[in-house]
Amino acid sequence: MARQRKPVSVDHSNSKFPKKTQSQNANKVGFFSYWKQVLACVCLVVAVCVGYMGYLETRVNTPFDDQKMVIKSGLDVPDRYWGSYRSGLYFGMKTRDPYSLVTGLMWYFPQQLRPDGGGIRHWCEEGDNLNRYGWTEHDGRTFGIQEIQDGPFLLTTSFIKKPGGNHGGDWTARISITTPHDQFIGQQLSIILYSAIEEKTKGWIKPSHFGDKFLTGIIGETDGLGSFNIKLYNNSGEIENESYLSCSAQGLHVLKETVVASLRLVTDRQKGNQKRIVLPGELLPIIDGKRSEPNFIATQITGKIPFEIDMVFESGSNMDRSSTLMGNKYTDELKERRNEFNIKFENVFKLSSKGYKNDEILFAKAVLSNLVGGIGYFYGASRVESAYTRGPVPYWKAPLYTAVPSRSFFPRGFLWDEGFHGLLISKWDLDIEFDIINHWFDLMNVEGWIPREQILGHEALSKVPEQFVTQKNSNANPPTFFITLHFILNNFVDKLTGKEGQLQNLERLYPRLQAWFDWFNNTQLGDLPGTYRWRGRDSTTNRQLNPITLTSGLDDYPRASHPNVDERHIDLRCWIALASSTMSEIAKLLNRNEQKYTNTYSYLSDNKLLDELHWSSNSESYSDFGLHTDAVVLKCPPPPKSPPGYQVPQNLEKIRIVLKDPELRFVDSTFGYVSLFPFLLQIIDVNSPKLNKVLDDIKNPELLWTNYGLRSLAKSAPMYMKKNTEHDPPYWRGPVWINLNYLAVRALNYYSKKEGPYSQKSKLIYNELRSNLINNIMKEFKRTGYVWEQYNDKTGEGQRSRPFTGWTSLVVLMMGEIY
Ligand SMILES: *[C@@H]1O[C@H](CO)[C@@H](O)[C@H](O)[C@H]1NC(C)=O
Ligand SMILES: *[C@@H]1O[C@H](CO)[C@@H](O)[C@H](O)[C@H]1NC(C)=O
Ligand SMILES: *[C@@H]1O[C@H](CO)[C@@H](O)[C@H](O)[C@H]1NC(C)=O
């Protein structure tokens, strides 16, 4: 990696200091002054070196030097100030501020509560084993409805926002709990509705009682929100008990722990010695004679199912509110919003006019809504590292408005996922997508690099294993935002040229896109002209069967067995080709000089050159090239020699044994997604017989074809479904992934519409692959309640994390045939 960087040296030719001795017959003084000068010179070189090193050290966390992309944030965008931006929670509202008032929901069944807090639902956790949950309608702006099925109970969380005043307006959320089963009616459930302010929020909150009609609520004031109150209203059902907690919590990442630590078991003497779990009220210690201020206020409501609570946020600056948005008024308003949503959904995706049945359309709405409803707002600093920093250093603090791959397992921003999310989001709401793109490109550093995984803030950090936190600036990730931009140009070109704001947005983005392109084109170059190589592979490990390539996005997809500089990666080369063609399109639209990009694109899409570098005539497929052998196995190392009569404990971890020396060759025994890239990114010529071969390979059930979509790795590949270490199950080594299947469907659509010898064949495969994917994802959603990260290539069953309404939600675009 260091090969790509400027060597650390000082240019002596610019040195103001003499390189030769000034006098041959130096006297003693001269002699000393000579050494003084040498010493001064050495000192200066060292100083310059240190200075230069210091400069290099700060490069990694210096922002890109140009105007900011996000020019409107916080209250400048009042209609998106509030939102369900706490992606990782079942339900919570916050504002688009670095430090915000946050609200949230927890619930539990009193008889299932364990002393360690087990049983309390708060963050979306796979371990909660909910039957299903997710937004079923959400427009990203004004309202949302979510259904959560927890055993025999159905919780519905909805919210509506109302503009008014100068601080982002009002909103009301409704939590209703019902059950379709008679035997569970009347069972107790406790819900906890809370508000908290982060440490750095300027402002205060305190509990408040608004009279008989209401439960314990909150009043407060912050810089962003001005004064406000939150009322809790019992809209229907029987409330057994109400209690509250007002205290000072250590941070947003320990709110549940704070609740657990304060719950009390008490005996209610008035009600036949019933045992109750309640919150204790004020828990504010007196420090230095002063009562500490609360930053966390929670109201617990124990009700008999069914019951329904409205949580009403009212902004103090909103003067023209005719009545409080609750009760029937809320019910009516929700009906209207839903109506508008449904009309818009049909206008955008046209599923009804395509003949989809009602339950299929409900599925598509739920998938879109959970992607849009999962959009979060994060604030904080990543941890980054370069060759010049001593260990990890903080990036600058920044906000990120982004969708997330999975609300439970990956509730944070991922660079290459976001490019896929952008396809669906831009189709739904182009302004939201531009805002997301702008936030991401503000995370670009002066080198043109954007970190791959964004772990911002305590809440996000507490969900990530330590070894994945630090991001290295030598490492890339597929530049999928170029697909988003290509898609936007394709789908909205009239709108873009018509609408000033969005064109100007592209104008502002352009220098950053250039820098991003250059960063890829310079730092990920291969050794031979026209080749590219993912950085970040570990060439020294013997723990992994095949060293992973996290940066490619395809983690454990098998590559050359012995990473070195001779490697060339076909997928990366195709990504750069796609990037150059998109850059050329954008440059043309903006009347900039596109020549450089057009040239790079024609160079990288020249099939003759592509074939020379990546077509293996042996396997008749596109492939990587590198130092490779297939003859590797994971084995227990031989036990260390132990002295006679003494048992040395054995290290049981398996290591890789290489049975045959690697050689420089195509990695062509491995057929899979990577082999398809020239096809996926539409670089193969329409008339190329190689297109025909790829189409045949796609249809071959011994290779990638299944009834559920294309599997990631051919059954015939040596690493098909192999573990990479004893503990790492196969990930991109067989299962069906939807992002690349979307690209396959998109490419088939493209080749079927281009006149050529294989268009008919492409059309047939297109129809079949598309319906296989849609049917299976839909079937699994019905069966399990979720869409999944990946699908089993033998059974079609959803697996790994759920709900995965990140790129799996592209199924909606496949249904609508939008590419
Ligand atoms: C909640 O509302 C129901 C129905 O409106 C009413 O019967 C009940 O008394 C209320 N409970 C409380 C605690 O206000
Ligand atoms: C809730 O239960 C506690 C403990 O039994 C009792 O002290 C309190 O008055 C109850 N609150 C209501 C509103 O019923
Ligand atoms: C990309 O890199 C190649 C190789 O260094 C260079 O020839 C080409 O001009 C670059 N493309 C652009 C658009 O800068």
Side-chain angles (χ1 to χ4, degrees):
M1 278 154 264
R3 272 178 350 107
Q4 300 303 323
R5 306 182 157 281
K6 269 200 230 157
V8 184
S9 67
V10 180
D11 188 351
H12 287 278
S13 62
N14 286 337
S15 170
K16 290 188 236 93
F17 294 87
K19 291 179 186 109
K20 288 183 198 151
T21 54
Q22 280 161 326
S23 158
Q24 297 291 11
N25 5 320
N27 58 22
K28 264 207 161 168
V29 176
F31 180 78
F32 279 118
S33 92
Y34 164 70
W35 280 110
K36 260 193 206 154
Q37 283 186 12
V38 169
L39 193 66
C41 185
V42 167
C43 284
L44 205 98
V45 169
V46 169
V48 170
C49 268
V50 167
Y52 189 58
M53 288 300 284
Y55 162 75
L56 288 175
E57 196 176 337
T58 55
R59 296 275 290 169
V60 66
N61 55 2
T62 302
F64 186 74
D65 186 17
D66 199 40
Q67 57 179 325
K68 284 263 169 248
M69 289 307 304
V70 177
I71 43 180
K72 281 186 169 182
S73 60
L75 279 168
D76 302 334
V77 193
D79 72 320
R80 275 184 289 136
Y81 188 52
W82 276 106
S84 54
Y85 302 132
R86 302 180 74 198
S87 322
L89 254 64
Y90 289 116
F91 179 68
M93 301 284 286
K94 66 174 279 191
T95 64
R96 298 206 305 168
D97 276 322
Y99 303 104
S100 169
L101 172 79
V102 304
T103 70
L105 165 73
M106 304 182 200
W107 76 90
Y108 65 91
F109 300 97
Q111 62 291 19
Q112 285 170 16
L113 181 67
R114 294 190 299 274
D116 64 351
I120 300 186
R121 326 292 199 195
H122 181 219
W123 282 352
C124 303
E125 299 280 5
E126 304 210 327
D128 289 342
N129 280 319
L130 302 190
N131 308 61
R132 68 188 170 93
Y133 65 90
W135 296 99
T136 55
E137 291 170 20
H138 197 304
D139 65 1
R141 288 176 184 270
T142 72
F143 92 109
I145 304 183
Q146 172 175 238
E147 291 182 0
I148 303 171
Q149 196 191 327
D150 190 352
F153 306 104
L154 182 69
L155 281 83
T156 308
T157 67
S158 61
F159 72 89
I160 295 175
K161 284 158 55 182
K162 272 273 190 200
N166 315 317
H167 293 277
D170 301 347
W171 54 263
T172 298
R174 173 171 289 176
I175 317 296
S176 44
I177 300 107
T178 59
T179 175
H181 309 282
D182 284 349
Q183 74 265 37
F184 294 106
I185 287 181
Q187 242 209 43
Q188 280 192 5
L189 177 93
S190 294
I191 67 173
I192 295 170
L193 287 163
Y194 68 79
S195 304
I197 48 176
E198 291 177 88
E199 202 186 332
K200 292 183 179 116
T201 314
K202 289 210 176 70
W204 54 268
I205 50 175
K206 66 181 190 195
S208 177
H209 307 275
F210 297 95
D212 291 350
K213 215 163 118 192
F214 296 101
L215 306 158
T216 306
I218 289 158
I219 56 171
E221 188 171 344
T222 67
D223 271 7
L225 291 167
S227 65
F228 59 85
N229 60 57
I230 298 179
K231 293 175 185 157
L232 297 182
Y233 175 68
N234 155 31
N235 188 46
S236 73
E238 197 179 322
I239 306 297
E240 276 279 307
N241 188 270
E242 178 215 344
S243 57
Y244 78 95
L245 168 70
S246 167
C247 72
S248 174
Q250 295 303 312
L252 290 189
H253 55 300
V254 292
L255 296 182
K256 177 167 152 182
E257 289 71 11
T258 308
V259 165
V260 172
S262 14
L263 285 172
R264 307 268 191 273
L265 186 66
V266 296
T267 313
D268 196 334
R269 304 219 182 278
Q270 275 142 28
K271 289 209 177 153
N273 286 342
Q274 230 185 75
K275 294 253 191 278
R276 284 187 201 294
I277 304 165
V278 298
L279 288 169
E282 311 245 329
L283 266 192
L284 297 163
I286 295 173
I287 300 166
D288 297 335
K290 256 183 73 187
R291 189 170 292 284
S292 57
E293 300 280 318
N295 64 9
F296 177 46
I297 296 169
T299 303
Q300 170 171 288
I301 301 146
T302 303
K304 282 191 176 164
I305 295 167
F307 67 99
E308 192 164 75
I309 304 289
D310 289 351
M311 181 181 202
V312 186
F313 175 94
E314 290 180 329
S315 167
S317 72
N318 187 0
M319 299 301 175
D320 39 41
R321 178 186 311 114
S322 56
S323 62
T324 295
L325 182 60
M326 59 185 218
N328 292 339
K329 188 163 183 253
Y330 182 90
T331 312
D332 294 344
E333 178 92 29
L334 191 62
K335 222 175 266 165
E336 256 171 61
R337 302 287 170 109
R338 297 187 59 185
N339 234 345
E340 283 164 27
F341 175 88
N342 289 326
I343 291 167
K344 179 174 175 186
F345 190 87
E346 180 57 23
N347 278 340
V348 173
F349 299 108
K350 310 207 166 29
L351 298 191
S352 182
S353 56
K354 273 182 168 293
Y356 281 99
K357 295 200 286 286
N358 206 30
D359 60 330
E360 296 168 332
I361 296 174
L362 288 179
F363 156 80
K365 281 178 188 163
V367 174
L368 168 86
S369 299
N370 206 48
L371 173 70
V372 171
I375 292 175
Y377 190 82
F378 306 89
Y379 185 82
S382 298
R383 212 191 289 161
V384 299
E385 192 173 5
S386 79
Y388 304 108
T389 58
R390 276 155 295 205
V393 295
Y395 220 47
W396 62 91
K397 282 194 173 174
L400 181 62
Y401 174 61
T402 183
V404 302
S406 161
R407 288 172 56 201
S408 57
F409 210 73
F410 303 107
R412 54 187 174 277
F414 285 80
L415 182 58
W416 92 295
D417 294 69
E418 203 51 34
F420 287 107
H421 303 161
L423 304 176
L424 189 51
I425 296 174
S426 60
K427 188 71 192 167
W428 177 249
D429 192 320
L430 190 54
D431 284 334
I432 290 186
E433 182 52 28
F434 267 114
D435 206 358
I436 290 176
I437 292 177
N438 289 348
H439 277 85
W440 273 96
F441 277 84
D442 270 345
L443 295 173
M444 173 177 282
N445 79 358
V446 68
E447 304 164 313
W449 172 67
I450 304 177
R452 187 165 61 85
E453 185 171 343
Q454 295 290 334
I455 308 155
L456 309 180
H458 285 305
E459 248 178 341
L461 191 60
S462 59
K463 279 237 165 181
V464 184
E466 178 60 27
Q467 72 266 31
F468 295 122
V469 173
T470 301
Q471 311 286 309
K472 293 206 172 96
N473 73 337
S474 48
N475 293 352
N477 207 204
T480 49
F481 272 124
F482 284 113
I483 303 194
T484 317
L485 290 166
H486 171 84
F487 179 93
I488 291 176
L489 296 191
N490 236 6
N491 281 276
F492 296 104
V493 79
D494 311 335
K495 218 174 150 190
L496 277 183
T497 39
K499 212 172 165 187
E500 274 294 284
Q502 287 164 349
L503 253 194
Q504 280 163 357
N505 200 121
L506 267 185
E507 289 274 2
R508 272 185 299 123
L509 189 59
Y510 193 70
R512 286 172 192 261
L513 289 174
Q514 287 181 300
W516 207 38
F517 181 89
D518 286 344
W519 184 86
F520 277 94
N521 198 37
N522 294 328
T523 66
Q524 309 294 304
L525 270 183
D527 256 21
L528 287 183
T531 68
Y532 293 87
R533 173 164 60 86
W534 295 111
R535 303 306 197 267
R537 299 192 71 201
D538 183 350
S539 58
T540 58
T541 178
N542 68 352
R543 285 190 60 242
Q544 303 174 25
L545 189 59
N546 185 280
I548 53 171
T549 319
L550 277 180
T551 47
S552 71
L554 311 174
D555 298 23
D556 67 346
Y557 185 97
R559 305 289 184 145
S561 60
H562 290 69
N564 74 359
V565 296
D566 296 313
E567 256 189 288
R568 39 190 205 246
H569 294 128
I570 174 79
D571 53 336
L572 180 53
R573 189 182 195 278
C574 295
W575 283 122
I576 309 255
L578 168 105
S580 58
S581 94
T582 309
M583 282 306 287
S584 148
E585 283 176 74
I586 299 175
K588 279 179 202 151
L589 181 73
L590 300 178
N591 289 319
R592 306 287 183 105
N593 185 352
E594 54 26 268
Q595 204 54 53
K596 202 168 62 164
Y597 299 110
T598 312
N599 291 348
T600 297
Y601 181 63
S602 10
Y603 177 71
L604 291 178
S605 60
D606 174 347
N607 275 221
K608 201 164 153 282
L609 190 61
L610 170 72
D611 295 353
E612 273 167 29
L613 292 168
H614 285 289
W615 179 262
S616 157
S617 43
N618 175 40
S619 65
E620 288 189 76
S621 63
Y622 287 105
S623 86
D624 283 348
F625 181 92
L627 188 59
H628 182 68
T629 172
D630 286 322
V632 288
V633 287
L634 284 179
K635 269 205 172 141
C636 286
K641 278 216 185 82
S642 44
Y646 181 76
Q647 196 69 28
V648 176
Q650 285 197 12
N651 172 10
L652 285 177
E653 171 141 40
K654 287 185 180 171
I655 56 166
R656 177 172 90 166
I657 311 286
V658 177
L659 303 169
K660 192 170 155 269
D661 282 344
E663 49 192 306
L664 279 177
R665 47 172 282 196
F666 285 114
V667 189
D668 55 4
S669 49
T670 291
F671 188 84
Y673 285 167
V674 163
S675 330
L676 297 184
F677 263 81
F679 160 78
L680 294 177
L681 297 183
Q682 305 167 9
I683 293 161
I684 307 182
D685 288 338
V686 172
N687 296 311
S688 169
K690 298 196 165 76
L691 175 58
N692 194 33
K693 179 64 169 55
V694 171
L695 292 172
D696 287 341
D697 287 347
I698 282 180
K699 256 325 293 265
N700 183 349
E702 288 309 304
L703 299 175
L704 304 186
W705 189 264
T706 80
N707 290 336
Y708 321 110
L710 302 179
R711 61 165 72 84
S712 38
L713 195 59
K715 275 211 271 187
S716 61
M719 301 246 169
Y720 172 72
M721 288 312 278
K722 287 242 170 80
K723 284 183 167 185
N724 202 35
T725 73
E726 226 176 318
H727 312 290
D728 292 319
Y731 199 37
W732 289 83
R733 293 185 179 177
V736 177
W737 289 82
I738 304 309
N739 58 337
L740 293 197
N741 271 284
Y742 174 80
L743 292 184
V745 171
R746 171 179 170 270
L748 287 165
N749 179 61
Y750 167 84
Y751 286 113
S752 72
K753 294 200 163 138
K754 288 263 163 187
E755 209 165 302
Y758 312 113
S759 69
Q760 196 50 34
K761 190 167 182 170
S762 301
K763 181 75 189 166
L764 292 173
I765 304 178
Y766 167 81
N767 287 335
E768 215 178 329
L769 179 60
R770 173 175 167 266
S771 67
N772 282 349
L773 286 159
I774 295 172
N775 291 341
N776 188 57
I777 298 171
M778 218 144 60
K779 178 183 114 237
E780 284 299 289
F781 181 76
K782 258 185 224 151
R783 187 179 72 84
T784 63
Y786 293 102
V787 299
W788 294 79
E789 182 176 4
Q790 46 169 237
Y791 293 86
N792 188 293
D793 63 320
K794 294 193 195 78
T795 63
E797 285 173 18
Q799 54 190 31
R800 303 287 286 225
S801 57
R802 60 166 155 91
F804 195 95
T805 35
W807 59 46
T808 301
S809 57
L810 292 173
V811 65
V812 180
L813 291 182
M814 293 189 221
M815 292 170 84
E817 303 193 84
I818 299 162
Y819 306 107

